[in-house]
């Protein structure tokens, strides 16, 4: 197994132009593929999750031209749902990309064709039953090829009727996102009612905004119910600039907050649609100095102290707070993050295990984690569980004056293939 030894980092300083947002890249690709007309996407993310979406779209008959650096993509929209009925069964391998699996699951029900949706072994442990149940309420023909409620799936595209649908929002917001993006192309109007507490709410704001950008309005009552008119087609966006990735920004902002100097990330700012920009507000509450621009966020060192916060709204960036807690006085408590357990790995277990290896005192609850910094951080080999965010957030341990070894560092390819090269640009 490959290992990366990160030597102690004395100082951070500089600027990082963020790669495109994973959440926006995969949404934009799907909507551009369904839309009428040609969309040019710029600042597209080049990573595994996006590659899986791109490959699937090609198999589904969508034409696009990707630039050599893979950051620009000109998509010839179909102007209607996918139709591959003449091609027999098509198998789509979607890796471990939730933002490909869930939205494609809904979108493929709209048209005509026979599909198998599959992925990496971990994908078979990530639930999708609530989405399948809700699509079946709208007439979808979906069956499980392995365990009930989990991929792999067989979808027979027969169209979605619309109507009044209930979706359980308590495990992943991606189920609602997937249904919302398909709903305008249903035969009739759709009313979606949320059952249970909707988690990761800011991702729904991203979905509603991008649907609007592609010409579709959704009426919502306080994110509890959503009404979408049926029989619509998305409209291409001539030039769509993908915002920088706010979750990827968290590692650099935390580095600025922990070490001397400051780090500025560009490509996101005070007008960003991504909820993970609120990570900067949490860092500020911990004592970091934060500056917001229209197209940048800058973090500088402060005396960090522990916080006790519900971080359900920033589930991905909250992992970075768990490692920043190693540099804060007091006990940091991150609550209401049960769904860490159903992501790339069981992140509550994995974070607790790896934080203990560097000496922290950790309490792992059913849906929370408490982290108290050790007097002195110890060198450890960090297992990364094929989870890009574990590799990236544990790189911050090197800011302690103690080196850290990251096992399987290339797992960052899910969302940020050159993360460690970029980190080296701002560290001394
Ligand atoms: O919609 C999205 O783009 C995402 C939603 C979140 O998932 P959950 O809604 O499952 O928490 C987040 O963790 C994931 O990285 C991306
Ligand atoms: C949870 C994540 O990914 P996915 O989009 O596969 O859910 C993540 O990137 O942290």
């Amino acid at each position: 197994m490959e290992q990366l030894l990160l030597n102690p980092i004395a100082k951070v300083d500089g600027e990082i132009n963020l790669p495109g947002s994973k959440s926006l890249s995969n949404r934009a690709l799907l909507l551009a593929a369904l839309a009428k007309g040609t969309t040019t996407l710029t600042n597209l993310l080049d990573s595994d999750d996006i590659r899986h979406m791109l490959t699937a779209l090609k198999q589904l008959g969508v034409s696009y031209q990707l630039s050599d650096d893979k950051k620009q993509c000109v998509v010839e929209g179909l102007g209607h749902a996918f139709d591959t009925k003449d091609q027999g069964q098509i198998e789509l391998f979607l890796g471990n990309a939730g933002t490909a699996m869930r939205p494609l699951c809904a979108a493929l029900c709209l048209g005509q064709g026979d599909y198998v949706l599959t992925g990496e072994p971990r994908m078979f442990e990530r639930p999708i039953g609530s989405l399948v149940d809700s699509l079946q309420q709208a007439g979808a023909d979906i069956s499980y090829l392995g365990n009930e409620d989990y991929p792999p799936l067989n979808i027979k595209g027969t169209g979605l009727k619309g109507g009044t649908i209930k979706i359980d929002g308590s495990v992943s917001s991606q189920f609602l996102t997937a249904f919302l993006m398909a709903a305008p192309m249903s035969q009739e109007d759709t009313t979606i009612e949320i059952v249970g507490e909707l988690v990761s709410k800011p991702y729904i704001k991203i979905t509603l905004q991008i649907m609007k950008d592609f010409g579709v309005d959704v009426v919502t009552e306080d994110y509890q119910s959503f009404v979408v008119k049926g029989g619509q087609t998305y409209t291409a966006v001539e030039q769509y600039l993908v915002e920088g990735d706010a979750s990827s920004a968290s590692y650099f902002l935390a580095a600025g907050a922990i070490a001397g100097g400051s780090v500025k990330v560009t490509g996101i700012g005070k007008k960003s649609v991504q909820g993970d920009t609120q990570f900067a507000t949490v860092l500020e509450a911990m004592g970091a100095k934060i500056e917001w621009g229209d197209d940048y966020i800058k973090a500088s060192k402060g005396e960090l102290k522990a916080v006790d916060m519900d971080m359900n709204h920033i589930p991905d960036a909250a992992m970075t707070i768990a490692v920043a807690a190693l540099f804060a006085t007091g006990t940091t408590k991150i609550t209401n993050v049960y769904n860490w357990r159903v992501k790339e790995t069981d992140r509550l277990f994995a974070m607790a295990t790896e934080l203990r290896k560097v000496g922290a005192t950790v309490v792992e609850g059913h849906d929370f984690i408490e982290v108290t910094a050790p007097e002195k951080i110890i060198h450890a080999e960090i297992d990364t569980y094929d989870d890009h965010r574990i590799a990236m957030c544990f790189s911050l341990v090197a800011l302690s004056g103690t080196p850290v070894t990251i096992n399987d560092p290339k797992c960052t390819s899910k969302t940020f293939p050159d993360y460690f090269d970029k980190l080296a640009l701002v560290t001394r």
Side-chain angles (χ1 to χ4, degrees):
M1 178 197 44
E2 198 173 319
Q3 293 189 310
L4 176 69
L5 174 69
L6 293 173
N7 283 314
I9 297 167
K11 192 168 182 266
V12 297
D13 213 359
E15 188 171 316
I16 295 288
N17 187 21
L18 294 166
S21 149
K22 170 198 74 171
S23 295
L24 284 162
S25 294
N26 270 352
R27 283 169 173 77
L29 280 168
L30 179 59
L31 297 193
L34 294 171
K36 193 167 166 30
T38 303
T39 298
T40 298
L41 302 170
T42 51
N43 198 39
L44 193 70
L45 176 62
D46 172 21
S47 79
D48 291 352
D49 279 10
I50 309 314
R51 187 168 40 78
H52 291 306
M53 176 64 93
L54 280 165
T55 307
L57 292 176
K58 182 146 280 172
Q59 285 178 269
L60 293 167
V62 179
S63 304
Y64 54 79
Q65 293 84 45
L66 199 56
S67 62
D68 288 345
D69 67 2
K70 302 204 171 70
K71 287 187 187 164
Q72 182 179 308
C73 191
V74 182
V75 184
E76 315 291 345
L78 296 170
H80 53 74
F82 302 110
D83 180 354
T84 60
K85 62 176 173 308
D86 300 332
Q87 292 171 51
Q89 190 171 73
I90 297 179
E91 181 172 311
L92 303 174
F93 180 85
L94 303 172
N96 193 9
T99 56
M101 175 61 81
R102 279 75 180 257
L104 280 170
C105 173
L108 289 170
C109 295
L110 291 167
Q112 298 193 57
D114 182 356
Y115 310 103
V116 170
L117 265 61
T118 185
E120 289 167 15
R122 175 60 183 170
M123 190 53 112
F124 302 167
E125 297 172 349
R126 299 184 65 188
I128 197 163
S130 308
L131 173 59
V132 170
D133 288 350
S134 62
L135 290 164
Q136 284 168 339
Q137 292 169 46
D141 181 348
I142 308 176
S143 48
Y144 297 106
L145 297 173
N147 290 335
E148 184 145 341
D149 294 337
Y150 296 85
L153 305 174
N154 178 218
I155 299 178
K156 302 238 165 59
T158 51
L160 287 176
K161 289 199 296 270
T164 298
I165 308 297
K166 291 194 191 316
I167 299 188
D168 182 349
S170 62
V171 171
S172 169
S173 69
Q174 291 179 5
F175 305 152
L176 174 58
T177 282
F179 210 120
L180 281 169
M181 292 200 293
M185 296 172 74
S186 297
Q187 289 140 20
E188 309 284 331
D189 299 354
T190 304
T191 299
I192 301 172
E193 290 167 1
I194 302 300
V195 185
E197 179 94 1
L198 176 60
V199 296
S200 307
K201 260 192 203 143
Y203 288 95
I204 299 305
K205 184 172 170 204
I206 300 180
T207 304
L208 299 184
Q209 181 60 53
I210 198 163
M211 287 175 68
K212 197 177 174 57
D213 294 338
F214 281 84
V216 169
D217 283 316
V218 177
V219 178
T220 178
E221 204 139 302
D222 208 21
Y223 284 29
Q224 274 308 299
S225 71
F226 299 81
V227 180
V228 190
K229 285 219 158 312
Q232 303 191 67
T233 316
Y234 286 106
T235 309
V237 181
E238 214 171 301
Q239 290 285 338
Y240 185 93
L241 171 66
V242 177
E243 278 184 12
D245 192 302
S247 317
S248 298
S250 69
Y251 316 108
F252 302 106
L253 293 174
I258 294 164
S262 59
V263 180
K264 182 173 173 178
V265 292
T266 61
I268 56 169
K270 53 186 170 203
K271 295 195 184 125
S272 290
V273 68
Q274 295 166 81
D276 265 7
T277 55
Q278 288 311 306
F279 171 83
T281 310
V282 179
L283 271 187
E284 195 168 34
M286 291 179 81
K289 297 185 186 70
I290 303 290
E291 189 183 311
W292 293 80
D294 282 341
D295 192 44
Y296 73 88
I297 305 177
K298 187 171 171 181
S300 315
K301 185 175 162 65
E303 284 307 311
L304 299 186
K305 55 184 188 322
V307 287
D308 176 346
M309 272 193 203
D310 179 331
M311 297 199 199
N312 190 278
H313 62 302
I314 54 165
D316 296 355
M319 293 169 73
T320 315
I321 295 293
V323 179
L326 295 172
F327 302 88
T329 50
T331 298
T332 297
K333 192 165 177 184
I334 298 172
T335 60
N336 201 9
V337 288
Y338 167 77
N339 73 353
W340 274 19
R341 295 199 186 273
V342 292
K343 295 182 186 272
E344 280 73 338
T345 184
D346 177 343
R347 288 177 166 170
L348 274 164
F349 168 79
M351 291 300 289
T353 306
E354 301 312 306
L355 284 164
R356 284 184 189 123
K357 281 190 190 167
V358 298
T361 303
V362 182
V363 179
E364 176 199 341
H366 172 68
D367 65 352
F368 71 87
I369 188 167
E370 268 179 32
V371 184
T372 313
E375 245 159 59
K376 178 150 177 34
I377 287 177
I378 46 188
H379 175 243
E381 292 186 358
I382 302 299
D383 286 316
T384 49
Y385 308 77
D386 210 10
D387 185 342
H388 54 140
R389 299 204 191 283
I390 294 188
M392 295 191 279
C393 65
F394 272 90
S395 65
L396 299 173
V397 171
L399 299 167
S400 66
T402 302
V404 62
T405 301
I406 307 289
N407 289 340
D408 187 22
K410 292 216 171 81
C411 68
T412 67
S413 64
K414 186 173 192 284
T415 56
F416 205 158
D418 61 351
Y419 170 72
F420 290 104
D421 299 335
K422 285 270 173 68
L423 181 67
L425 293 177
V426 293
T427 54
R428 312 267 178 275

